[in-house]
Protein backbone atom coordinates (compact mmCIF):
# COMPACT_ATOMS: atom_id res chain seq x y z
CA UNK A 1 0.00 0.00 0.00
CA UNK A 2 2.84 2.38 0.88
CA UNK A 3 4.59 1.82 -2.47
CA UNK A 4 1.31 2.28 -4.31
CA UNK A 5 0.93 5.73 -2.70
CA UNK A 6 4.48 6.66 -3.73
CA UNK A 7 3.87 5.62 -7.33
CA UNK A 8 0.48 7.33 -7.55
CA UNK A 9 1.76 10.64 -6.18
CA UNK A 10 4.88 10.65 -8.35
CA UNK A 11 2.73 10.00 -11.42
CA UNK A 12 0.43 12.86 -10.34
CA UNK A 13 3.38 15.22 -9.91
CA UNK A 14 4.96 14.24 -13.24
CA UNK A 15 1.74 14.63 -15.22
CA UNK A 16 1.06 18.03 -13.62
CA UNK A 17 4.55 19.26 -14.54
CA UNK A 18 4.23 17.94 -18.09
CA UNK A 19 0.80 19.51 -18.47
CA UNK A 20 2.14 22.85 -17.24
CA UNK A 21 5.05 22.90 -19.66
CA UNK A 22 2.79 21.75 -22.48
CA UNK A 23 1.21 25.20 -22.19
CA UNK A 24 4.66 26.81 -22.36
CA UNK A 25 6.31 24.92 -25.25
CA UNK A 26 5.18 23.55 -28.59
CA UNK A 27 4.53 19.82 -28.32
CA UNK A 28 6.12 17.28 -30.63
CA UNK A 29 3.39 14.75 -29.86
CA UNK A 30 -0.27 15.14 -28.98
CA UNK A 31 -2.30 12.78 -26.85
CA UNK A 32 -2.39 11.92 -23.15
CA UNK A 33 -0.75 8.53 -23.76
CA UNK A 34 2.64 10.10 -24.48
CA UNK A 35 2.61 11.93 -21.17
CA UNK A 36 1.60 8.83 -19.26
CA UNK A 37 4.47 6.85 -20.84
CA UNK A 38 6.87 9.70 -20.06
CA UNK A 39 5.75 9.78 -16.42
CA UNK A 40 6.12 5.98 -16.19
CA UNK A 41 9.66 6.21 -17.64
CA UNK A 42 10.66 8.88 -15.13
CA UNK A 43 9.15 6.87 -12.28
CA UNK A 44 11.15 3.79 -13.31
CA UNK A 45 14.38 5.82 -13.39
CA UNK A 46 13.55 7.35 -9.98
CA UNK A 47 12.92 3.97 -8.34
CA UNK A 48 16.13 2.51 -9.78
CA UNK A 49 18.18 5.57 -8.77
CA UNK A 50 17.02 5.62 -5.15
CA UNK A 51 17.28 1.87 -4.66
CA UNK A 52 20.75 1.31 -6.10
CA UNK A 53 22.57 4.66 -6.19
CA UNK A 54 23.77 7.28 -3.74
CA UNK A 55 21.12 9.99 -3.28
CA UNK A 56 23.47 12.66 -4.72
CA UNK A 57 23.84 10.72 -7.96
CA UNK A 58 20.15 9.78 -7.94
CA UNK A 59 19.12 13.45 -8.00
CA UNK A 60 21.10 14.21 -11.14
CA UNK A 61 19.98 10.98 -12.79
CA UNK A 62 16.38 12.06 -12.20
CA UNK A 63 17.19 15.46 -13.68
CA UNK A 64 18.69 13.77 -16.73
CA UNK A 65 15.55 11.64 -17.04
CA UNK A 66 13.34 14.76 -17.04
CA UNK A 67 15.61 16.42 -19.60
CA UNK A 68 15.28 13.43 -21.93
CA UNK A 69 11.49 13.45 -21.55
CA UNK A 70 11.29 17.15 -22.41
CA UNK A 71 13.57 16.69 -25.41
CA UNK A 72 11.27 13.94 -26.72
CA UNK A 73 7.92 15.59 -25.96
CA UNK A 74 8.56 19.27 -26.68
CA UNK A 75 10.43 21.57 -29.03
CA UNK A 76 12.95 22.91 -26.51
CA UNK A 77 16.59 23.96 -26.60
CA UNK A 78 19.19 22.83 -24.10
CA UNK A 79 18.61 25.81 -21.77
CA UNK A 80 14.83 25.36 -21.63
CA UNK A 81 15.32 21.63 -21.12
CA UNK A 82 17.80 22.23 -18.27
CA UNK A 83 15.43 24.71 -16.68
CA UNK A 84 12.58 22.19 -16.68
CA UNK A 85 14.74 19.40 -15.25
CA UNK A 86 16.37 21.52 -12.55
CA UNK A 87 13.06 23.12 -11.53
CA UNK A 88 11.44 19.67 -11.29
CA UNK A 89 14.13 18.40 -8.90
CA UNK A 90 14.62 21.62 -6.92
CA UNK A 91 10.91 21.94 -6.23
CA UNK A 92 10.68 18.42 -4.81
CA UNK A 93 14.00 18.57 -2.97
CA UNK A 94 13.33 21.90 -1.24
CA UNK A 95 9.74 20.93 -0.38
CA UNK A 96 11.00 17.72 1.20
CA UNK A 97 13.56 19.72 3.18
CA UNK A 98 10.84 22.04 4.52
CA UNK A 99 8.55 19.19 5.57
CA UNK A 100 11.44 17.18 7.12
CA UNK A 101 12.58 20.20 9.11
CA UNK A 102 9.07 20.93 10.42
CA UNK A 103 8.67 17.29 11.50
CA UNK A 104 12.03 17.48 13.25
CA UNK A 105 11.10 20.69 15.09
CA UNK A 106 7.66 19.50 16.23
CA UNK A 107 8.89 16.05 17.31
CA UNK A 108 12.15 17.42 18.77
CA UNK A 109 14.10 14.74 16.94
CA UNK A 110 16.95 14.93 14.46
CA UNK A 111 16.09 14.73 10.79
CA UNK A 112 17.80 11.35 10.43
CA UNK A 113 15.65 9.98 13.27
CA UNK A 114 12.49 11.32 11.65
CA UNK A 115 13.36 9.75 8.28
CA UNK A 116 14.11 6.42 9.95
CA UNK A 117 10.44 6.08 10.88
CA UNK A 118 8.55 4.48 7.92
CA UNK A 119 5.27 6.22 8.80
CA UNK A 120 6.90 9.64 9.08
CA UNK A 121 8.83 8.99 5.88
CA UNK A 122 5.64 8.23 3.95
CA UNK A 123 3.84 11.32 5.21
CA UNK A 124 6.88 13.49 4.49
CA UNK A 125 6.80 12.21 0.91
CA UNK A 126 3.05 12.84 0.57
CA UNK A 127 3.22 16.34 2.02
CA UNK A 128 6.27 17.21 -0.08
CA UNK A 129 4.41 16.37 -3.29
CA UNK A 130 1.37 18.41 -2.30
CA UNK A 131 3.52 21.33 -1.10
CA UNK A 132 5.33 21.41 -4.46
CA UNK A 133 2.04 21.31 -6.35
CA UNK A 134 0.58 24.03 -4.12
CA UNK A 135 3.55 26.35 -4.67
CA UNK A 136 3.40 25.73 -8.42
CA UNK A 137 -0.27 26.65 -8.44
CA UNK A 138 0.24 29.77 -6.32
CA UNK A 139 3.02 30.88 -8.66
CA UNK A 140 0.77 30.41 -11.69
CA UNK A 141 -2.14 32.31 -10.14
CA UNK A 142 -0.33 35.09 -8.25
CA UNK A 143 3.35 35.56 -9.01
CA UNK A 144 3.92 34.57 -12.66
CA UNK A 145 0.77 33.69 -14.65
CA UNK A 146 1.15 31.40 -17.64
CA UNK A 147 0.71 34.33 -20.05
CA UNK A 148 3.83 35.98 -18.57
CA UNK A 149 5.80 32.78 -17.99
CA UNK A 150 5.87 31.75 -21.64
CA UNK A 151 7.71 34.86 -22.93
CA UNK A 152 10.19 34.49 -20.06
CA UNK A 153 11.00 30.92 -21.11
CA UNK A 154 11.98 32.19 -24.56
CA UNK A 155 14.19 34.99 -23.24
CA UNK A 156 17.46 33.07 -23.23
CA UNK A 157 19.53 35.77 -21.56
CA UNK A 158 17.24 35.98 -18.53
CA UNK A 159 16.43 32.26 -18.40
CA UNK A 160 20.14 31.44 -18.18
CA UNK A 161 20.32 33.49 -14.98
CA UNK A 162 17.45 31.47 -13.44
CA UNK A 163 18.96 28.10 -14.45
CA UNK A 164 22.34 28.97 -12.94
CA UNK A 165 20.63 30.01 -9.70
CA UNK A 166 18.57 26.80 -9.45
CA UNK A 167 21.57 24.52 -10.02
CA UNK A 168 23.79 26.32 -7.51
CA UNK A 169 20.96 26.46 -4.97
CA UNK A 170 20.35 22.74 -5.45
CA UNK A 171 24.05 22.01 -4.86
CA UNK A 172 23.94 24.17 -1.72
CA UNK A 173 20.89 22.33 -0.34
CA UNK A 174 22.57 18.99 -1.06
CA UNK A 175 25.59 20.16 0.92
CA UNK A 176 23.43 21.29 3.83
CA UNK A 177 21.41 18.09 3.62
CA UNK A 178 24.54 15.99 4.25
CA UNK A 179 24.51 17.30 7.83
CA UNK A 180 21.47 15.17 8.64
CA UNK A 181 23.67 12.06 8.75
CA UNK A 182 25.01 13.08 12.15
CA UNK A 183 22.64 12.02 14.93
CA UNK A 184 24.41 14.31 17.40
CA UNK A 185 23.54 17.38 15.38
CA UNK A 186 21.72 20.05 17.39
CA UNK A 187 18.35 21.65 16.66
CA UNK A 188 20.07 24.67 15.13
CA UNK A 189 20.90 22.55 12.10
CA UNK A 190 17.20 21.82 11.53
CA UNK A 191 16.44 25.55 11.58
CA UNK A 192 19.36 26.13 9.22
CA UNK A 193 18.06 23.50 6.80
CA UNK A 194 14.51 24.87 7.02
CA UNK A 195 15.71 28.42 6.43
CA UNK A 196 17.85 27.37 3.45
CA UNK A 197 14.93 25.58 1.79
CA UNK A 198 12.44 28.40 2.42
CA UNK A 199 14.84 31.12 1.28
CA UNK A 200 15.72 29.04 -1.78
CA UNK A 201 12.08 28.79 -2.79
CA UNK A 202 11.36 32.46 -2.12
CA UNK A 203 14.38 33.63 -4.07
CA UNK A 204 13.45 31.36 -6.99
CA UNK A 205 10.02 33.02 -7.01
CA UNK A 206 11.72 36.41 -7.04
CA UNK A 207 14.18 35.39 -9.78
CA UNK A 208 11.52 34.00 -12.11
CA UNK A 209 9.18 36.91 -11.42
CA UNK A 210 12.04 39.26 -12.27
CA UNK A 211 12.76 37.32 -15.48
CA UNK A 212 9.11 37.46 -16.50
CA UNK A 213 8.97 41.17 -15.73
CA UNK A 214 12.11 41.94 -17.75
CA UNK A 215 10.77 39.90 -20.68
CA UNK A 216 7.43 41.73 -20.45
CA UNK A 217 9.14 45.14 -20.40
CA UNK A 218 11.36 44.20 -23.32
CA UNK A 219 8.35 43.10 -25.36
CA UNK A 220 6.49 46.26 -24.32
CA UNK A 221 9.43 48.36 -25.52
CA UNK A 222 9.42 46.54 -28.84
CA UNK A 223 5.67 47.04 -29.21
CA UNK A 224 6.03 50.71 -28.29
CA UNK A 225 8.68 51.15 -30.96
CA UNK A 226 6.37 49.46 -33.45
CA UNK A 227 3.57 51.84 -32.50
CA UNK A 228 5.91 54.83 -32.97
CA UNK A 229 6.83 53.49 -36.40
CA UNK A 230 3.15 53.00 -37.16
CA UNK A 231 2.32 56.59 -36.18
CA UNK A 232 5.01 57.76 -38.58
CA UNK A 233 3.55 55.52 -41.28
CA UNK A 234 0.07 56.89 -40.69
CA UNK A 235 1.39 60.44 -40.87
CA UNK A 236 3.07 59.73 -44.22
CA UNK A 237 -0.10 57.96 -45.36
CA UNK A 238 -2.18 61.00 -44.39
CA UNK A 239 0.23 63.40 -46.13
CA UNK A 240 0.11 61.28 -49.28
CA UNK A 241 -3.68 61.24 -49.21
CA UNK A 242 -3.75 65.00 -48.56
CA UNK A 243 -1.60 65.68 -51.63
CA UNK A 244 -3.89 63.45 -53.69
CA UNK A 245 -6.97 65.30 -52.39
CA UNK A 246 -5.46 68.72 -53.05
CA UNK A 247 -4.41 67.85 -56.62
CA UNK A 248 -7.87 66.41 -57.27
CA UNK A 249 -9.53 69.64 -56.01
CA UNK A 250 -7.41 71.72 -58.41
CA UNK A 251 -8.23 69.43 -61.32
CA UNK A 252 -11.92 69.40 -60.42
CA UNK A 253 -12.00 73.23 -60.47
CA UNK A 254 -10.74 73.30 -64.06
CA UNK A 255 -12.66 70.17 -65.01
CA UNK A 256 -16.07 71.86 -64.67
CA UNK A 257 -15.03 74.65 -67.07
CA UNK A 258 -13.49 72.20 -69.54
CA UNK A 259 -16.57 69.98 -69.57
CA UNK A 260 -18.68 73.08 -70.30
CA UNK A 261 -16.50 73.72 -73.36
CA UNK A 262 -16.85 70.08 -74.46
CA UNK A 263 -20.63 70.31 -74.14
CA UNK A 264 -20.63 73.49 -76.23
CA UNK A 265 -18.54 71.83 -78.99
CA UNK A 266 -20.85 68.84 -79.05
CA UNK A 267 -23.89 71.11 -79.39
CA UNK A 268 -22.12 72.81 -82.31
CA UNK A 269 -21.38 69.35 -83.78
CA UNK A 270 -17.66 70.00 -83.59
CA UNK A 271 -17.01 66.36 -82.77
CA UNK A 272 -13.31 66.29 -83.69
CA UNK A 273 -12.55 69.29 -81.52
CA UNK A 274 -14.57 67.78 -78.65
CA UNK A 275 -12.66 64.49 -78.94
CA UNK A 276 -9.36 66.38 -78.97
CA UNK A 277 -10.36 68.31 -75.86
CA UNK A 278 -11.35 65.09 -74.06
CA UNK A 279 -7.93 63.63 -74.90
CA UNK A 280 -6.29 66.75 -73.49
CA UNK A 281 -8.37 66.47 -70.32
CA UNK A 282 -7.26 62.84 -69.90
CA UNK A 283 -3.60 63.77 -70.35
CA UNK A 284 -3.92 66.66 -67.91
CA UNK A 285 -5.54 64.38 -65.31
CA UNK A 286 -2.71 61.86 -65.58
CA UNK A 287 -0.11 64.61 -65.17
CA UNK A 288 -1.67 66.75 -62.46
CA UNK A 289 -3.71 64.34 -60.32
CA UNK A 290 -1.40 62.33 -58.10
CA UNK A 291 -2.00 58.60 -58.08
CA UNK A 292 -2.99 57.32 -54.65
CA UNK A 293 -2.72 53.56 -54.54
CA UNK A 294 -4.61 51.53 -51.97
CA UNK A 295 -3.41 48.10 -50.91
CA UNK A 296 -6.01 47.26 -48.27
CA UNK A 297 -9.53 48.13 -47.16
CA UNK A 298 -8.26 48.45 -43.57
CA UNK A 299 -6.91 51.93 -42.74
CA UNK A 300 -4.07 50.82 -40.48
CA UNK A 301 -3.03 47.92 -42.68
CA UNK A 302 -3.13 50.15 -45.75
CA UNK A 303 -0.88 52.66 -43.98
CA UNK A 304 1.58 49.86 -43.21
CA UNK A 305 1.54 48.60 -46.78
CA UNK A 306 1.83 52.12 -48.24
CA UNK A 307 5.02 52.58 -46.22
CA UNK A 308 6.28 49.15 -47.25
CA UNK A 309 5.69 50.05 -50.89
CA UNK A 310 7.83 53.18 -50.47
CA UNK A 311 10.59 51.21 -48.73
CA UNK A 312 10.48 48.54 -51.44
CA UNK A 313 10.78 51.21 -54.11
CA UNK A 314 13.90 52.60 -52.42
CA UNK A 315 15.41 49.11 -52.04
CA UNK A 316 14.38 47.97 -55.52
CA UNK A 317 12.12 45.22 -54.18
CA UNK A 318 9.25 44.15 -56.42
CA UNK A 319 6.13 44.69 -54.30
CA UNK A 320 2.52 43.70 -54.92
CA UNK A 321 -0.25 43.66 -52.35
CA UNK A 322 -3.98 43.28 -52.08
CA UNK A 323 -4.94 42.51 -48.50
CA UNK A 324 -8.50 42.71 -47.24
CA UNK A 325 -9.37 42.47 -43.58
CA UNK A 326 -13.10 41.97 -42.96
CA UNK A 327 -14.71 44.12 -40.32
CA UNK A 328 -16.03 41.11 -38.39
CA UNK A 329 -12.68 40.06 -36.87
CA UNK A 330 -11.76 40.67 -33.24
CA UNK A 331 -8.29 42.11 -33.96
CA UNK A 332 -7.65 45.50 -32.39
CA UNK A 333 -5.51 48.21 -34.01
CA UNK A 334 -2.64 47.14 -31.73
CA UNK A 335 -3.01 43.53 -32.89
CA UNK A 336 -2.89 44.57 -36.55
CA UNK A 337 0.27 46.62 -35.94
CA UNK A 338 1.99 43.85 -33.92
CA UNK A 339 1.27 41.15 -36.51
CA UNK A 340 1.77 42.86 -39.84
CA UNK A 341 4.49 45.39 -38.95
CA UNK A 342 6.72 42.58 -37.72
CA UNK A 343 5.95 40.39 -40.74
CA UNK A 344 6.69 43.05 -43.37
CA UNK A 345 9.79 44.27 -41.51
CA UNK A 346 11.15 40.72 -41.52
CA UNK A 347 10.26 40.34 -45.21
CA UNK A 348 12.05 43.57 -46.20
CA UNK A 349 15.11 42.61 -44.17
CA UNK A 350 15.20 39.13 -45.77
CA UNK A 351 14.88 40.55 -49.29
CA UNK A 352 17.60 43.13 -48.72
CA UNK A 353 20.15 40.29 -48.37
CA UNK A 354 19.65 39.33 -52.03
CA UNK A 355 20.58 40.84 -55.40
CA UNK A 356 18.08 43.39 -56.73
CA UNK A 357 16.64 41.15 -59.45
CA UNK A 358 15.72 38.45 -56.94
CA UNK A 359 13.89 40.65 -54.42
CA UNK A 360 10.12 40.44 -54.18
CA UNK A 361 7.28 40.62 -51.66
CA UNK A 362 3.75 39.50 -52.49
CA UNK A 363 0.78 39.92 -50.16
CA UNK A 364 -2.59 38.37 -50.94
CA UNK A 365 -5.75 37.65 -48.98
CA UNK A 366 -8.75 35.41 -49.14
CA UNK A 367 -11.53 34.52 -46.80
CA UNK A 368 -13.98 31.86 -45.80
CA UNK A 369 -17.07 32.06 -43.66
CA UNK A 370 -14.96 31.29 -40.58
CA UNK A 371 -11.52 32.73 -41.39
CA UNK A 372 -9.76 35.78 -42.79
CA UNK A 373 -6.49 34.60 -44.35
CA UNK A 374 -3.58 36.80 -45.39
CA UNK A 375 -0.55 35.28 -47.08
CA UNK A 376 2.84 36.98 -47.28
CA UNK A 377 5.46 35.54 -49.65
CA UNK A 378 8.97 36.93 -49.98
CA UNK A 379 12.35 35.88 -51.30
CA UNK A 380 15.23 35.14 -48.91
CA UNK A 381 18.73 33.67 -49.07
CA UNK A 382 17.63 30.17 -48.04
CA UNK A 383 19.56 30.22 -44.76
CA UNK A 384 17.59 29.38 -41.61
CA UNK A 385 18.52 28.95 -37.96
CA UNK A 386 16.09 26.66 -36.21
CA UNK A 387 16.11 25.72 -32.53
CA UNK A 388 13.45 23.88 -30.54
CA UNK A 389 11.06 24.06 -33.46
CA UNK A 390 11.37 27.86 -33.63
CA UNK A 391 13.10 30.03 -36.22
CA UNK A 392 15.79 32.15 -34.58
CA UNK A 393 17.24 35.53 -35.44
CA UNK A 394 20.58 35.70 -37.25
CA UNK A 395 21.42 39.06 -35.69
CA UNK A 396 24.29 39.29 -33.22
CA UNK A 397 22.22 40.81 -30.40
CA UNK A 398 19.84 37.93 -29.76
CA UNK A 399 18.52 39.41 -26.50
CA UNK A 400 16.88 42.46 -28.08
CA UNK A 401 16.21 40.80 -31.45
CA UNK A 402 14.40 37.62 -32.38
CA UNK A 403 11.13 38.52 -30.66
CA UNK A 404 9.37 39.34 -33.93
CA UNK A 405 8.05 35.88 -34.78
CA UNK A 406 7.22 35.20 -31.13
CA UNK A 407 5.12 38.39 -30.95
CA UNK A 408 3.41 37.54 -34.26
CA UNK A 409 2.59 34.01 -33.12
CA UNK A 410 1.45 34.99 -29.63
CA UNK A 411 -0.73 37.86 -30.89
CA UNK A 412 -2.31 35.68 -33.56
CA UNK A 413 -2.97 32.83 -31.13
CA UNK A 414 -4.42 35.26 -28.55
CA UNK A 415 -7.10 36.08 -31.16
CA UNK A 416 -7.83 32.37 -31.57
CA UNK A 417 -5.98 32.42 -34.88
CA UNK A 418 -3.29 30.31 -36.50
CA UNK A 419 0.14 31.14 -37.88
CA UNK A 420 1.80 28.95 -40.50
CA UNK A 421 5.46 29.37 -41.42
CA UNK A 422 6.36 27.63 -44.68
CA UNK A 423 9.99 28.34 -45.62
CA UNK A 424 11.23 26.71 -48.84
CA UNK A 425 15.01 26.84 -48.51
CA UNK A 426 15.62 25.20 -51.91
CA UNK A 427 13.44 27.70 -53.78
CA UNK A 428 14.49 30.53 -51.45
CA UNK A 429 10.90 31.50 -50.78
CA UNK A 430 9.50 32.25 -47.33
CA UNK A 431 5.73 32.06 -46.91
CA UNK A 432 3.67 33.12 -43.89
CA UNK A 433 -0.05 32.53 -43.53
CA UNK A 434 -1.99 34.46 -40.92
CA UNK A 435 -5.44 33.02 -40.20
CA UNK A 436 -7.72 35.16 -38.04
CA UNK A 437 -11.15 33.88 -37.02
CA UNK A 438 -14.22 35.87 -37.99
CA UNK A 439 -17.04 36.59 -35.56
CA UNK A 440 -19.81 34.34 -36.75
CA UNK A 441 -23.17 36.03 -36.90
CA UNK A 442 -25.95 34.14 -35.17
Amino acid sequence: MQYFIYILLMMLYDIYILHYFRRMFHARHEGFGYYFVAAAFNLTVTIFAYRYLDHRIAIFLMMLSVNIIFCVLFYVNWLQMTYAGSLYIFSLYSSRGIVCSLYSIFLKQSIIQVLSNPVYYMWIFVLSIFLSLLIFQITRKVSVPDSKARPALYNMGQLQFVVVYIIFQLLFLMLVNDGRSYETVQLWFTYLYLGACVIGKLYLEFAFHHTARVSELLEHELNTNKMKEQLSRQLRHYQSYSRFTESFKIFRHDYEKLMGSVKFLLNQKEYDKAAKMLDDIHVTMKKEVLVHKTYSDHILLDAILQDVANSCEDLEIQFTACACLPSDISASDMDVVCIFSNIVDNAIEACSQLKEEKRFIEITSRGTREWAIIEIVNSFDGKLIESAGELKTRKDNKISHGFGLQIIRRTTESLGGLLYLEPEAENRIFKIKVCIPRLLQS
Side-chain angles (χ1 to χ4, degrees), residues 111-261:
I111 292 178
I112 193 68
Q113 290 173 329
V114 171
L115 294 175
S116 299
N117 188 312
V119 177
Y120 294 160
Y121 190 96
M122 182 189 72
W123 279 107
I124 287 172
F125 181 84
V126 172
L127 293 174
S128 299
I129 294 289
F130 281 108
L131 178 60
S132 297
L133 294 176
L134 178 63
I135 292 175
F136 260 112
Q137 200 63 20
I138 291 174
T139 300
R140 295 178 65 182
K141 298 297 182 183
V142 179
S143 179
V144 187
D146 293 354
S147 59
K148 296 183 178 180
R150 195 171 190 275
L153 294 177
Y154 285 89
N155 187 334
M156 297 301 106
Q158 291 296 316
L159 187 62
Q160 184 177 1
F161 161 72
V162 178
V163 169
V164 170
Y165 166 76
I166 295 176
I167 292 176
F168 274 99
Q169 185 65 25
L170 184 60
L171 292 173
F172 172 70
L173 291 184
M174 290 172 64
L175 181 64
V176 175
N177 183 55
D178 284 344
R180 72 181 188 180
S181 303
Y182 301 97
E183 293 194 25
T184 56
V185 73
Q186 301 298 316
L187 194 60
W188 64 265
F189 171 78
T190 302
Y191 285 107
L192 172 66
Y193 191 33
L194 175 62
C197 292
V198 172
I199 291 173
K201 279 189 176 294
L202 290 176
Y203 192 78
L204 176 59
E205 289 291 316
F206 168 78
F208 194 58
H209 181 270
H210 172 76
T211 295
R213 181 62 177 162
V214 169
S215 300
E216 184 180 29
L217 290 174
L218 178 58
E219 185 171 328
H220 177 72
E221 181 182 0
L222 293 173
N223 287 337
T224 301
N225 290 336
K226 288 295 179 186
M227 287 303 295
K228 288 180 180 178
E229 292 175 10
Q230 182 56 31
L231 287 174
S232 298
R233 283 171 170 158
Q234 285 181 264
L235 179 59
R236 290 192 292 270
H237 182 265
Y238 171 76
Q239 291 171 342
S240 173
Y241 189 78
S242 296
R243 289 194 296 270
F244 162 74
T245 305
E246 188 64 28
S247 64
F248 185 77
K249 285 180 180 178
I250 295 172
F251 173 77
R252 184 180 176 182
H253 180 268
D254 295 333
Y255 176 79
E256 293 177 356
K257 296 179 180 178
L258 292 171
M259 290 308 295
S261 299

Side-chain angles (χ1 to χ4, degrees), residues 306-332:
Q306 290 276 355
D307 196 62
V308 172
N310 295 332
S311 298
C312 288
E313 185 177 355
D314 294 338
L315 296 171
E316 298 185 18
I317 299 174
Q318 182 182 347
F319 177 74
T320 56
C322 181
C324 297
L325 276 181
S327 59
D328 57 350
I329 60 171
S330 59
S332 65

Side-chain angles (χ1 to χ4, degrees), residues 354 358 360 378-382 423-430:
L354 302 173
K358 295 182 179 180
F360 76 88
N378 64 272
S379 54
F380 79 115
D381 60 8
E424 299 178 15
E426 294 182 359
N427 298 325
R428 298 190 175 186
I429 294 175
F430 197 98

Side-chain angles (χ1 to χ4, degrees), residues 271-337:
Y271 300 119
D272 292 337
K273 291 182 179 180
K276 177 69 169 55
M277 183 167 285
L278 286 174
D279 290 337
D280 291 341
I281 292 172
H282 179 70
V283 171
T284 303
M285 185 182 69
K286 290 180 66 176
K287 287 182 178 179
E288 297 183 1
V289 179
L290 299 176
V291 177
H292 181 79
K293 294 183 179 179
T294 56
Y295 298 96
S296 174
D297 58 348
H298 190 282
I299 296 176
L300 270 180
L301 183 55
D302 191 54
I304 294 172
L305 298 181
Q306 290 276 355
D307 196 62
V308 172
N310 295 332
S311 298
C312 288
E313 185 177 355
D314 294 338
L315 296 171
E316 298 185 18
I317 299 174
Q318 182 182 347
F319 177 74
T320 56
C322 181
C324 297
L325 276 181
S327 59
D328 57 350
I329 60 171
S330 59
S332 65
D333 290 346
M334 184 66 179
D335 295 329
V336 172
V337 172

Side-chain angles (χ1 to χ4, degrees), residues 382-401:
K383 298 176 182 178
L384 296 170
I385 298 178
E386 188 171 353
S387 176
E390 294 280 343
L391 295 176
K392 300 299 180 182
T393 182
R394 288 157 56 184
K395 296 178 182 177
D396 294 332
N397 186 2
K398 291 180 171 54
I399 294 178
S400 60
H401 295 102

